[in-house]
Amino acid sequence: ATTFWKLLHTAATLPSADVYHCVCTGYAGLLGALASRLNDVPLFLSEHGVYLKERIEDIRKSTWLAAHPGLTAPFDGDLGTFKELWIGFFNLLCRSAYTQASHVTALFQGNARVQIEFGAPAERVAIIPNGIDTTRFADIAREKLQQQAPADGRVTVGFLGRVVPIKDVKTLLRAARLVLKTHPETSFLLAGPTDEDPEYFEECLALAAQLGISQSVEFPGRMKPDDFLRRSNIVILTSISEGLPFAVLEASAAGLPVVSTDVGACREMIADQLPSHPTLGPSGIVTEVANPASTAAALNQLVGNADLRFEQGMNGLRRVQSAYRQEDIVARYHQLYQALAARSNQRIPAAH
């Protein structure tokens, strides 16, 4: 109750605006809905993840939210009533924001479907993905696409990300062992912070040693994306969960093919048809989650075929230029702000 009173007070004292913009539901979404209603102006809700889905996952996994001994009604068979009440509470907050919002955006189609399932009116939901400055990687793309095969003949498979369980680096290592049986000259560059979960990193080092592939696997720690992309010929993600990963955008902008698990927006980015370019082919290969054999099979296709790497790298470059250019994404947001502000008979200055 105290939180609601605080939100009501805050909403009543917010500066006036032509449009209110929230980046999630929850308490922020409720505050945005209250401000929108009190000031009679539009609410714009943009979500990178889906906040309610994330809260449900957190509540399900929580230990402090154990069911109260006096509350015994089950939720989905394994949750007590206390967790059920918390999920219901966040569901209420979510629906209040979705109902009030004039526009709701998602990064990709999969999240948009979840938003609609959670109560967002389908006609108000639109897809606006992350954008990338494609010019930043233009020189690397030129180098990669002009050089069909590595100068030393040694193909490097690159991973750029945190060495943590959600990235499933162990599946990558097991896939690497299978690839090295067929292409023993392949090297694996696993770049990214190793200090977020030191125990998991040590387990990965031990697994590489156990698999007998330590000589072919490098863990350099943090690297600048440009340096990483210059050293890589294929980029790989073996994550068990993703949204719309910048690693894929950066690889494609650099003209590199991608092997990725079928999570988040990865299939849409790599393999699905683009409405603007329906004949454009895939920019890589999508694999099963936690499946070393599937990952290795995809890598073997690319490691052993320079022409396929070139073709899919070129497709990736065309995909980002068609659907993920930063300037196009910014323009779409500005157009949306203009349309919403027009409802308040106001005008936002043109972008420069």
Side-chain angles (χ1 to χ4, degrees), residues 46-346:
S46 62
E47 290 192 284
H48 277 205
V50 179
Y51 186 80
L52 178 58
K53 180 182 177 182
E54 294 166 1
R55 292 291 69 73
I56 290 175
E57 291 173 356
D58 288 344
I59 291 169
R60 285 179 179 275
K61 295 175 183 176
S62 70
T63 54
W64 71 271
L65 274 176
H68 188 281
L71 302 175
T72 56
F75 182 83
D76 282 354
D78 60 350
L79 296 180
T81 303
F82 197 38
K83 288 187 175 183
E84 180 183 2
L85 289 172
W86 270 103
I87 289 173
F89 171 71
F90 280 107
N91 181 52
L92 177 63
L93 298 186
C94 175
R95 289 181 179 272
S96 70
Y98 284 154
T99 301
Q100 182 65 23
S102 300
H103 283 76
V104 179
T105 63
L107 287 181
F108 58 99
Q109 197 63 245
N111 272 4
R113 286 193 292 268
V114 175
Q115 288 172 327
I116 292 168
E117 289 174 7
F118 284 156
E123 68 278 6
R124 301 183 199 171
V125 177
I127 309 297
I128 302 183
N130 285 329
I132 188 170
D133 179 7
T134 56
T135 61
R136 174 185 165 188
F137 302 99
D139 289 343
I140 301 175
R142 213 163 14 249
E143 294 169 14
K144 295 296 180 180
L145 294 171
Q146 287 174 355
Q147 179 189 9
Q148 292 251 25
D152 60 1
R154 187 178 177 90
V155 174
T156 297
V157 178
F159 162 88
L160 183 63
R162 297 170 298 136
V163 182
V164 293
I166 199 169
K167 301 297 184 181
D168 198 6
V169 178
K170 293 181 181 179
T171 284
L172 195 165
L173 293 171
R174 293 186 175 99
R177 177 175 177 270
L178 297 175
V179 171
L180 288 164
K181 287 182 177 180
T182 306
H183 301 282
E185 73 287 355
T186 307
S187 62
F188 291 83
L189 176 66
L190 279 60
T194 60
D195 54 358
E196 292 194 21
D197 191 333
E199 183 178 349
Y200 184 76
F201 173 54
E202 292 299 326
E203 290 173 1
C204 289
L205 291 177
L207 179 60
Q210 179 185 341
L211 296 172
I213 61 172
S214 296
Q215 295 298 317
S216 300
V217 177
E218 179 184 356
F219 286 94
R222 289 176 170 84
M223 286 184 71
K224 294 180 179 179
D226 302 52
D227 296 336
F228 165 79
L229 293 167
R230 281 196 163 89
R231 286 191 57 186
S232 301
N233 304 107
I234 302 165
V235 170
I236 184 167
L237 281 82
T238 47
S239 304
I240 59 175
S241 179
E242 287 284 355
L244 194 155
F246 271 96
V248 174
L249 291 180
E250 291 171 346
S252 296
L256 294 174
V258 179
V259 171
S260 172
T261 43
D262 192 2
V263 292
C266 293
R267 179 174 291 277
E268 294 178 29
M269 300 167 74
I270 295 168
D272 286 353
Q273 283 188 346
L274 291 177
S276 57
H277 287 72
T279 61
L280 192 56
S283 58
I285 303 172
V286 180
T287 66
E288 297 177 7
V289 174
N291 189 327
S294 173
T295 301
L299 286 173
N300 277 328
Q301 288 185 56
L302 287 164
V303 169
N305 191 331
D307 290 338
L308 182 60
R309 293 199 302 274
F310 173 83
E311 176 187 335
Q312 295 194 342
M314 181 62 76
N315 287 342
L317 184 59
R318 290 170 177 160
R319 279 175 173 266
V320 293
Q321 290 174 341
S322 170
Y324 300 99
R325 291 198 317 161
Q326 181 174 281
E327 55 266 43
D328 295 337
I329 302 305
V330 171
R332 289 183 63 186
Y333 275 109
H334 194 268
Q335 290 166 4
L336 186 51
Y337 284 138
Q338 289 279 19
L340 290 171
R343 299 186 183 184
S344 304
N345 296 316
Q346 302 291 332

